[in-house]
Structures are given as C-alpha cells and as structure tokens.
Amino acid sequence: MESVSDTREVAGSGREQTGDTAGTAAAAGPVTGQAAGPAAGQAAGPATKHAGGRRPGETRTREAILTAARVCFAERGFDATSLRRIAETAGVDQSLVHHFYGTKENLFLQALELPGKIEEAITAAAQGGLDGIGERVVRAHLSVWDDVSSRPALMTMVRSAAIHRAAAARLRETATGILARALGGVITGEDAMLRTSMVATQLVGLAMMRYVAHLEPLASADTDTVARHYGRAVQAIVTDRD
C-alpha cells in the first residue's frame, strides 16, 4: 500500500543514486584523457522537470484516489463512505487521501465534477432539427450513462442530491445550465426554462430508475427500445405538442 513517505522516497531515490554515482567516480579519480567536467564552452543543463511541476507518480496516485472516491460515493452515498474505504479501494494509505484532498467534503466536491461529454452529447443530439429530437436526446443521455468513465460521477450526483446540498446544486446546474445551453436553440418561447427543466426531470428520472434503482424490465431493456418509447415524452415537451 502506497503512503506519503513512499511518494517522497520515489522522488528522493533519484537524487540518492546520483550522489552515490558521483561519490564512486570521485573516489576512483579522473580517467586519463577524459575531462572531469563538461566540455569547454558547454554549460551544464538544468535538471529535467516534469510538465506542470508535478511528478508522474503523484498524478497517478491523485487520479487513483479520485476514481476510487467516485466509485465509493456512487455505491454508498456521501454519509456511508469513509476516507478509509476510499483509501482501501484506491490501494493507498489513508494519509495520502488527506495529503491530496484534505477533507472528505473537498474530495466529494471533486468527485462531483461532471465530464464535458454530457453537454457535448446533448448538443450534438439537438443539431438534427425537431423531427426525432426526443429520441436523439434520450439516446445521447443513455450513451453517457452507459460510459463507464462518466457513470460514477453521475451516480454520485444523483444518489447524493437528496441529502447533500452540493450534489443538489450540481444537479440543478445540469438541468438549468448544461441542458439549457445544449437545447437553447430548439426549446424556445416564454416557458422555455420551464420546459427545459421538465426535460431534465424526465432524463434524471430515467437515469434514477434504470441505473440506481435498477427497475426491471427498464434496467435491462436495450437502448433502442428505451429511446424509442421514452423519446416520445421528451419530444412532446421540446416541441410543445401533444
């Protein structure tokens, strides 16, 4: 299990090995016909730095903790998830969780960051005109939820919205922000925001029952069937027709 001292030792090992090599060379003395220092007129270059100033090992550890947190929050919710559980899932010492994220609250907020592919998928679905837009939007919504890289963050948001203020705020931002921007060109009129929020309610409700509550036969139904039937409800809201 990786700990804070391990990450520091990785960084320090390179310096120790360099020092050992230099000491060995000094003890052996200079080689005949070989200059001890850099060639004349050639300055010694600076040590190589990693982009952004962060070591690769630290970045991987930080990402592993965040991934584990999303999985744990998605499965158990905020209250039932401990930092120890997250550390065990990530395969690191709990001290590293504190080192990178501080508190559980801060880690939870980081876990709520939604992938940009949500807005991209809905925006693309809205580009084909009003005919069939309901089915396209539902299909795009399901494609993001079916993506294993984005589902944990979505699950965390939906499961925690009822009991955690930050999750509820993020869910509202998804409804009034992401969907409003993606569908702003097709949902128009004085009641555009109301209808956008109604589309959001349809999509969140679908995700809750299909992916969180696992309501059968909805949970195991294929995407085409769900999009075809459910798309009719979304279509009626978007076009404001019965």
Side-chain angles (χ1 to χ4, degrees), residues 90-140:
V92 302
D93 190 89
Q94 186 174 333
S95 62
L96 278 171
V97 181
H98 292 287
H99 173 71
F100 286 114
Y101 293 99
T103 64
K104 185 172 83 166
E105 178 77 15
N106 184 57
L107 179 53
F108 180 71
L109 293 176
Q110 296 292 322
L112 284 174
E113 288 294 330
L114 298 179
K117 64 182 65 176
I118 298 175
E119 185 167 353
E120 294 172 2
I122 301 297
T123 300
Q127 300 304 309
L130 288 177
D131 289 342
I133 188 173
E135 183 172 338
R136 293 197 308 273
V137 167
V138 173
R139 191 181 301 277

Side-chain angles (χ1 to χ4, degrees), residues 18-19 34 44 86 123 126 144 186 195 198 206 235:
T18 301
Q34 181 179 346
I86 293 171
T123 300
V144 176
V186 292
R195 285 156 55 212
M198 292 173 69
L206 172 60
Q235 182 79 27

